[in-house]
């Protein structure tokens, strides 16, 4: 934001910033095809002005007099690049050898990619995880409700393959604040670009994203005949309240289906890998 807001607004008294000037600054950001940055800059200006009002530095908030949609086009929806199902085996093979030549990547990055492929969670769900969320005896990963921004925890049954990967990660990292620690700052979690850049190094720039594993998993599981509502719940797409979530978790049919989802996806990945190597 320093390069966008400070040159235009940084030297002005905060109480002297008027709505037309704010619009000019935001539109200037949009003009360079940085629509997402323009939306974030507008939000940041509003936060700063609210702080100024709360501390007696200003009496009005020019960002509150308009909505971002009044001056900016709607943000474009993100289409996360992903491979076709038949292209998955080659990717899994490259991930398996990521720590070896020609890639010579980090072993922890390789394991992180393997785990996200087996659990198809969001990148933030994985890199913000702590060890306490995993119960390997029950083969279960419970992401707290506050992290999911949901009324209930997101519960992920872990396949045998996923449990093995988690055990390897524990052995590799030792005691750390985060399950996947940052390479240089052990008190922080892994960067949200680490796995994406690994995919780039393996030749998948513009072809595959980390989020793409979720789309591939959904495709495979729908083709295998799993109920759409169960797949959506496991992808954490469905809205749920505490009562409905509790009923689903107590349902043997639901629990078995979710466990089968994870096991089936692991088996499908292995079968696809074998078909390529054969």
């Amino acid at each position: 934001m320093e390069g966008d807001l400070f040159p235009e607004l940084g030297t002005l008294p905060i109480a002297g910033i008027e709505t037309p000037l704010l619009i000019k600054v935001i539109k200037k950001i949009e003009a360079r095809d940085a629509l997402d940055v323009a939306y974030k800059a507008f939000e940041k200006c509003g936060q700063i002005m609210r702080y100024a009002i709360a501390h007696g530095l200003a009496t009005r908030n020019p960002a509150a007099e308009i909505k971002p949609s009044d001056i900016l086009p709607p943000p474009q929806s993100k289409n996360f690049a992903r491979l076709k199902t038949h292209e998955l085996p080659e990717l899994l093979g490259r991930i398996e050898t990521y720590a070896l030549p020609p890639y010579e990547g980090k072993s922890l990055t390789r394991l992180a990619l393997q785990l996200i492929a087996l659990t198809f969670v969001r990148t933030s769900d994985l890199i913000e995880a702590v060890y306490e969320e995993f119960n390997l005896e029950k083969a279960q990963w419970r992401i707290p409700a506050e992290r999911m921004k949901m009324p209930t925890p997101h519960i992920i049954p872990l396949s045998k393959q996923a449990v093995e990967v988690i055990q390897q990660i524990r052995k590799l990292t030792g005691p750390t604040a985060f399950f996947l620690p940052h390479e240089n700052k052990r008190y922080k979690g892994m960067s949200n670009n680490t796995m994406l850049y690994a995919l780039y190094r393996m030749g998948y720039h513009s072809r595959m994203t980390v989020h793409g594993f979720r789309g591939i998993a959904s495709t495979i599981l729908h083709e295998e005949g799993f109920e759409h509502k169960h797949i959506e719940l496991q992808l954490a797409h469905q809205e749920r309240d505490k009562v409905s979530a509790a009923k689903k978790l107590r349902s043997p049919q639901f629990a078995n289906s979710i466990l089968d989802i994870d096991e089936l996806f692991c088996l499908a990945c292995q079968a696809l890998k074998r078909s390529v190597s054969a």
Side-chain angles (χ1 to χ4, degrees), residues 209-225:
T209 61
V210 181
H211 195 91
F213 286 110
R214 293 167 60 78
I216 294 175
S218 178
T219 298
I220 291 176
L221 295 168
H222 277 100
E223 289 175 351
E224 290 293 328

Side-chain angles (χ1 to χ4, degrees), residues 65-247:
E65 296 174 358
I66 55 173
K67 297 179 181 179
S69 58
D70 293 333
I71 59 173
L72 296 171
Q76 298 176 346
S77 60
K78 294 182 179 179
N79 293 315
F80 295 98
R82 70 172 190 255
L83 301 176
K84 302 294 185 182
T85 303
H86 71 272
E87 297 175 300
L88 180 61
E90 183 179 0
L91 171 58
L92 295 175
R94 292 187 184 188
I95 291 174
E96 198 164 319
T97 61
Y98 179 67
L100 304 173
Y103 311 117
E104 297 182 339
K106 301 293 183 182
S107 294
L108 185 60
T109 305
R110 170 182 63 83
L111 291 167
L113 281 168
Q114 288 179 325
L115 186 58
I116 210 163
L118 293 170
T119 56
F120 39 93
V121 295
R122 296 180 177 88
T123 302
S124 59
D125 295 338
L126 181 57
I127 65 175
E128 294 172 8
V130 296
Y131 277 117
E132 290 74 17
E133 295 175 6
F134 298 92
N135 186 328
L136 299 190
E137 290 185 4
K138 293 183 177 180
Q140 194 176 89
W141 177 9
R142 297 176 66 96
I143 304 178
E146 56 269 24
R147 281 221 295 125
M148 296 300 300
K149 297 181 174 62
M150 289 183 171
T152 59
H154 181 48
I155 301 174
I156 304 169
L158 298 169
S159 63
K160 294 177 182 178
Q161 294 88 343
V163 169
E164 289 173 1
V165 171
I166 292 168
Q167 290 172 333
Q168 291 180 53
I169 291 173
R170 282 186 168 176
K171 184 177 180 180
L172 181 65
T173 63
T176 54
F178 285 90
F179 174 60
L180 293 173
H182 191 282
E183 181 180 355
N184 300 316
K185 302 173 183 177
R186 304 279 288 179
Y187 58 88
K188 295 179 62 177
M190 177 180 283
S191 167
N192 62 353
N193 284 325
T194 298
M195 289 183 283
L196 180 62
Y197 289 162
L199 291 173
Y200 290 173
R201 290 181 66 182
M202 290 184 282
Y204 291 96
H205 196 294
S206 302
R207 295 177 57 206
M208 179 65 176
T209 61
V210 181
H211 195 91
F213 286 110
R214 293 167 60 78
I216 294 175
S218 178
T219 298
I220 291 176
L221 295 168
H222 277 100
E223 289 175 351
E224 290 293 328
F226 285 94
E227 286 194 51
H228 176 75
K229 63 181 181 180
H230 289 172
I231 297 171
E232 288 294 285
L233 193 66
Q234 193 59 10
L235 288 167
H237 281 166
Q238 284 190 347
E239 292 292 330
R240 53 188 173 183
D241 55 34
K242 293 181 179 180
V243 175
S244 62
K247 287 182 178 178

